[in-house]
Amino acid sequence: MVIGIPKEIKNNESRVGMTPAGVFALTKHKHTVYVQTTAGDGSGFFDKDYQAVGAIILPSIEDVYAKSDMIVKVKEPIEVEYSLIQENQIVFTYFHFASSEPLTNAMIASKAICIAYETVEDEEGTLPLLTPMSEVAGRMSIQQGAKYLEKPIKGRGILLGGVPGVQPGKVLVLGAGVVGVQAAKMAAGLGAHVTILDINMKRLRYVNDVLPNHVVTGFSSEYSIREYIKTHDLIIGGVLVKGGKAPKLITKDMLKDMRPGTVIVDVAVDQGGCFETTKATTHEYPTYIIDDVVHYCVANMPGAVPYTSTMALTNVTLNYILKLANLGWEKACEVDKSLSKGLNIVKGEIVYKELEGVFDE
C-alpha cells in the first residue's frame, strides 16, 4: 500500500502523523511511504530522518494526497484539503465529526473511507487512540489554567498551590474519565484543592482509591455544579460522549455566579464543548473573556507539546496502520472489531451510529 503523511496545516499544529520509527515499520513490510517535506520539523523529526528509514519526501501536500492509497494525519482535514481527498482513499486521523457539519458533509461528498482515531474502541470499551491525547490534554489543562489564573492575563491572581499561611487554589474537574483523572492528578501535584465530579460511581470510587486525600469526589448534577462553581478558581471540562456532542454542563447564565477572574478550560471543545459559551480557539489566540470569566478553549491542546504528543500517538496508532496497510481496510476491520468501530463515513455513507442525525436539530 502507498501511505501518505501530509504536513498538518491547522493553526499552530506542530504534530505529525507518524514518527520515523513508524515509517521504518511500514517500509520493512514493503509499503511505500510518502512524507511531505518538513512535515515532522515541528515535532523534531526531519526529512533526513524519514529518508534514512526509506520514506520518499514530496514537495507539496497535493502530491502526497494524489499519490497515496491511505492518508495518515493527526487533525481533521481543513477546508483547503477537502478537494484533495479522493474517492476510496483511506483517511486515518482524528475527525471529531460531531463538532463540524461542513467537515462531515465534505467527507460524505469525497466518498473516502474515513476512520476516526477517537472512535476506535477495544473490548473493554476504552478508546485506545484517544487515550494518549486525553492524557496530554488533561495534564496540560492544569498547566494552562494555572498560567491564566495570573492577574496580568485577567485571572483571579491565584497561585494554585498556595504558600504557607495562604490557602491553595480550588480546582473543579467535570468528568472522571482519562482527561479528568489526569487533570486532577496534576492539580493535586501542585498542591491545589481538587473536586472531581461524575455521574459514574464506579469512576468516582476509582478516583477515591488512586488519588491523594486532598482530591475529593462528588456526584455530578446541575445543582451540584451550580454550587461548586461559586467557590472554585479553575474549572476543567473533561466530559466525553463517544462520537457525539458533549453535553453543556455549564450554561451562560452560570457565569454570573463565578467570581471575576475564574478560569474555565474546555477540553471537550473538539466534540462541541461542554460549556455553552465555548468557541474553539487556537494557540495563537487561546483565550477570551465573557462576564469576567476567562475561557481557554484551544481545539488542539496537545499540539503545543508536539514531540511528546507525536511519540505518544504513534505508539498506539502504528499497529492499526500496519493492519490497514497489510490487509486493506475491509479485511482489517473484519478481523479487528475495535478498528471497525473507527469507521465513521464509508464511500459517502455515515456508518457510525452516534453520528447519525447529530445535525438534525
Side-chain angles (χ1 to χ4, degrees):
M1 187 179 281
V2 181
I3 296 97
I5 314 296
K7 184 172 182 174
E8 299 293 327
I9 53 178
K10 192 165 185 173
N11 183 290
N12 277 273
E13 180 51 73
S14 300
R15 290 173 288 180
V16 63
M18 197 177 299
T19 62
V23 172
F24 179 74
L26 285 165
T27 57
K28 193 173 180 182
H29 281 80
K30 309 302 182 187
H31 301 295
T32 300
V33 182
Y34 290 118
V35 178
Q36 184 183 345
T37 185
T38 71
D41 282 12
S43 295
F45 307 116
F46 304 103
D47 289 356
K48 61 182 175 59
D49 301 321
Y50 288 107
Q51 288 174 312
V53 292
I56 299 167
I57 304 299
L58 293 179
S60 71
I61 193 170
E62 290 83 3
D63 289 333
V64 173
Y65 275 97
K67 293 175 179 288
S68 302
D69 303 313
M70 174 164 64
I71 296 293
V72 176
K73 282 173 48 61
V74 180
K75 292 302 292 178
E76 74 283 352
I78 63 175
E79 190 173 351
V80 295
E81 294 174 271
Y82 293 170
S83 62
L84 303 179
I85 296 170
Q86 306 167 66
E87 186 172 349
N88 294 324
Q89 192 171 48
I90 303 165
V91 184
F92 195 29
T93 189
Y94 288 115
F95 276 107
H96 298 288
F97 282 118
S99 65
S100 176
E101 188 172 5
L103 172 67
T104 303
N105 291 335
M107 293 305 99
I108 289 171
S110 75
K111 297 188 177 177
I113 316 302
C114 301
I115 308 177
Y117 291 160
E118 71 273 9
T119 65
V120 172
E121 184 178 338
D122 62 21
E123 292 176 358
E124 287 78 42
T126 61
L127 306 172
L129 305 190
L130 188 62
T131 295
M133 293 306 96
S134 295
E135 290 169 336
V136 171
R139 294 183 178 205
M140 278 191 68
S141 69
I142 300 301
Q143 188 172 300
Q144 299 301 316
K147 178 170 71 179
Y148 287 101
L149 275 170
E150 296 171 8
K151 199 66 177 179
I153 326 176
K154 308 301 182 185
R156 289 200 67 229
I158 298 286
L159 181 66
L160 275 185
V163 291
V166 181
Q167 287 192 0
K170 288 188 172 184
V171 178
L172 176 64
V173 180
L174 305 178
V178 175
V179 166
V181 169
Q182 295 302 320
K185 184 185 295 185
M186 289 292 282
L190 287 173
H193 179 283
V194 185
T195 302
I196 184 165
L197 304 182
D198 205 297
I199 58 173
N200 184 332
M201 287 304 301
K202 187 176 180 181
R203 290 299 297 175
L204 293 179
R205 290 188 180 99
Y206 170 78
V207 169
N208 216 55
D209 286 343
V210 301
L211 292 183
N213 289 336
H214 60 291
V215 177
V216 298
T217 58
F219 190 81
S220 183
S221 66
E222 181 180 342
Y223 179 84
S224 63
I225 292 172
R226 284 183 179 274
E227 290 301 305
Y228 281 116
I229 62 175
K230 296 173 183 176
T231 57
H232 284 66
D233 308 300
L234 172 59
I235 300 166
I236 308 297
V239 295
L240 172 74
V241 175
K242 293 175 184 176
K245 286 186 177 179
K248 305 299 183 191
L249 298 182
I250 291 182
T251 55
K252 187 178 188 308
D253 73 290
M254 292 183 185
L255 300 185
K256 68 181 185 303
D257 294 327
M258 300 179 191
R259 292 173 294 189
T262 297
V263 175
I264 61 177
V265 178
D266 196 341
V267 188
V269 61
D270 272 335
Q271 293 293 115
C274 57
F275 308 147
E276 187 180 5
T277 47
T278 289
K279 57 183 179 183
T281 60
T282 66
H283 290 293
E284 189 175 5
Y285 301 105
T287 64
Y288 55 93
I289 297 173
I290 299 176
D291 294 344
D292 294 323
V293 173
V294 180
H295 293 59
Y296 179 96
C297 305
V298 174
N300 62 326
M301 287 176 64
V305 287
Y307 177 79
T308 298
S309 298
T310 294
M311 292 288 284
L313 184 59
T314 298
N315 286 345
V316 293
T317 57
L318 183 56
N319 284 337
Y320 292 103
I321 293 166
L322 280 168
K323 200 168 286 186
L324 287 165
N326 290 338
L327 302 177
W329 74 268
E330 290 178 286
K331 183 67 175 175
C333 290
E334 184 182 320
V335 300
D336 189 331
K337 297 305 179 188
S338 61
L339 183 58
S340 71
K341 292 188 176 181
L343 291 169
N344 276 226
I345 296 174
V346 175
K347 299 180 182 181
E349 298 290 333
I350 292 176
V351 297
Y352 191 69
K353 185 179 178 183
E354 284 78 356
L355 189 58
E356 293 174 359
V358 77
F359 301 113
D360 292 346
E361 300 170 6

